[in-house]
Amino acid sequence: MTAIKLNHGVLVICILCLLITVNLVNGFSKDSTCGGTHGCWGDCDGGCSFLLTWMSSGSGVNFKMKASLSTNADQWAGFGISTSASMKLHCILLNTSLPLFPQENNNFACTQIYMTSFILTFDASVSVTSCLMTSSGASFNPENSYNAASGNTNSVVSSPLNGLTATGATYADNILTCELSRTNTNSDAEVFDLTTDYYILFAKGTLSGGTKNQHTFTDKTAVLVSFQATQDLAGGVAIIKPFTSILIMLSVSQIVLFSM
């Protein structure tokens, strides 16, 4: 009788490769205008799970956010801007008595397997623009909000629609697409001037009663970004293409056939 013996470490690697492939399949294509008429940033090495594009309109900036969402439940996606490149990672654990492994160089991956969520904060304040999806993907509302320096609490500004105009939003094939315009300047100091260069944070999460919960996904640019330019930024998370992941699985698989 012939049996197959599979090294457990190899099995884990194969499963991870398959998950990466599934992530790509469930993503979407990068916008063809990136680097031409529009600036853009996203995790689009082969396929995107999020993408932010922008184009200066003179007195303001036209933005389009796209994000992969697993369901049409009430959710939000948004981007934050800050002059600070330094971010701190705080993990939320199922069991708070379990210590986290050290996080070096302000990286963005909690290594504790018991983590259920995390909060990412800047050392400086953050101006946030979000798109809130409710009513099973039938209703969309833009919103400006603010994170104070070194804090992890997001607060809606006093006039959340001031200088902000929604131009269209859809939810189809598990992809949220939200387009809006934001003026370069605003009477509210917590809604930052868009003629300054910033580091960008992208985040998404769930809603409760129309209010944003803590984000469950986040990424940030490695460089300062100008919304008056049309930079094409690749994003911070590399995605392995399906064919590449198959080659990896074939190369690391050490299946030993033996007779019983």
Side-chain angles (χ1 to χ4, degrees):
M1 179 179 178
T2 302
I4 296 178
K5 182 179 180 181
L6 181 62
N7 180 279
H8 286 87
V10 173
L11 179 61
V12 171
I13 294 174
C14 290
I15 292 173
L16 288 174
C17 289
L18 285 172
L19 290 174
I20 291 170
T21 301
V22 169
N23 184 52
L24 175 59
V25 171
N26 289 339
F28 53 88
S29 299
K30 187 176 182 177
D31 197 308
S32 61
T33 64
C34 289
T37 58
H38 290 68
C40 71
W41 169 58
D43 58 348
C44 297
D45 184 6
C48 313
S49 70
F50 77 92
L51 180 67
L52 175 69
T53 66
W54 60 87
M55 181 178 68
S56 174
S57 63
S59 60
V61 178
N62 299 325
F63 291 98
K64 179 165 72 173
M65 292 180 278
K66 294 185 72 173
S68 294
L69 303 178
S70 57
T71 71
N72 65 351
D74 291 358
Q75 296 179 73
W76 65 273
F79 66 92
I81 53 177
S82 177
T83 55
S84 170
S86 179
M87 302 175 74
K88 297 179 181 179
L89 182 66
H90 306 275
C91 294
I92 301 172
L93 306 179
L94 284 170
N95 186 340
T96 56
S97 65
L98 294 171
L100 285 174
F101 294 111
Q103 301 298 311
E104 298 180 355
N105 300 321
N106 288 326
N107 63 22
F108 305 109
C110 283
T111 51
Q112 174 57 261
I113 63 174
Y114 299 98
M115 181 193 74
T116 58
S117 184
F118 57 88
I119 305 169
L120 209 51
T121 61
F122 285 92
D123 284 343
S125 54
V126 185
S127 174
V128 181
T129 297
S130 306
C131 184
L132 282 58
M133 181 182 79
T134 56
S135 304
S136 300
S139 179
F140 306 89
N141 294 290
E143 175 187 273
N144 280 326
S145 57
Y146 178 81
N147 283 39
S150 301
N152 56 21
T153 301
N154 177 260
S155 302
V156 178
V157 299
S158 56
S159 299
L161 293 178
N162 184 25
L164 197 60
T165 304
T167 56
T170 60
Y171 177 76
D173 300 323
N174 293 332
I175 306 297
L176 168 64
T177 303
C178 187
E179 298 183 63
L180 51 86
S181 297
R182 178 170 153 178
T183 56
N184 283 332
T185 59
N186 197 290
S187 57
D188 191 334
E190 295 178 343
V191 181
F192 297 169
D193 189 323
L194 295 181
T195 61
T196 300
D197 293 356
Y198 298 100
Y199 294 95
I200 310 175
L201 167 74
F202 194 93
K204 61 183 180 181
T206 59
L207 295 171
S208 294
T211 300
K212 298 192 299 291
N213 295 321
Q214 291 174 353
H215 47 69
T216 54
F217 167 87
T218 191
D219 198 359
K220 85 168 187 73
T221 59
V223 297
L224 287 166
V225 178
S226 170
F227 291 126
Q228 309 306 311
T230 57
Q231 298 162 273
D232 183 359
L233 304 176
V237 182
I239 300 177
I240 300 176
K241 299 179 181 180
F243 181 70
T244 306
S245 63
I246 291 171
L247 290 178
I248 292 173
M249 287 186 282
L250 290 175
S251 65
V252 301
S253 296
Q254 299 177 358
I255 300 174
V256 179
L257 299 176
F258 63 95
S259 299
M260 294 184 64

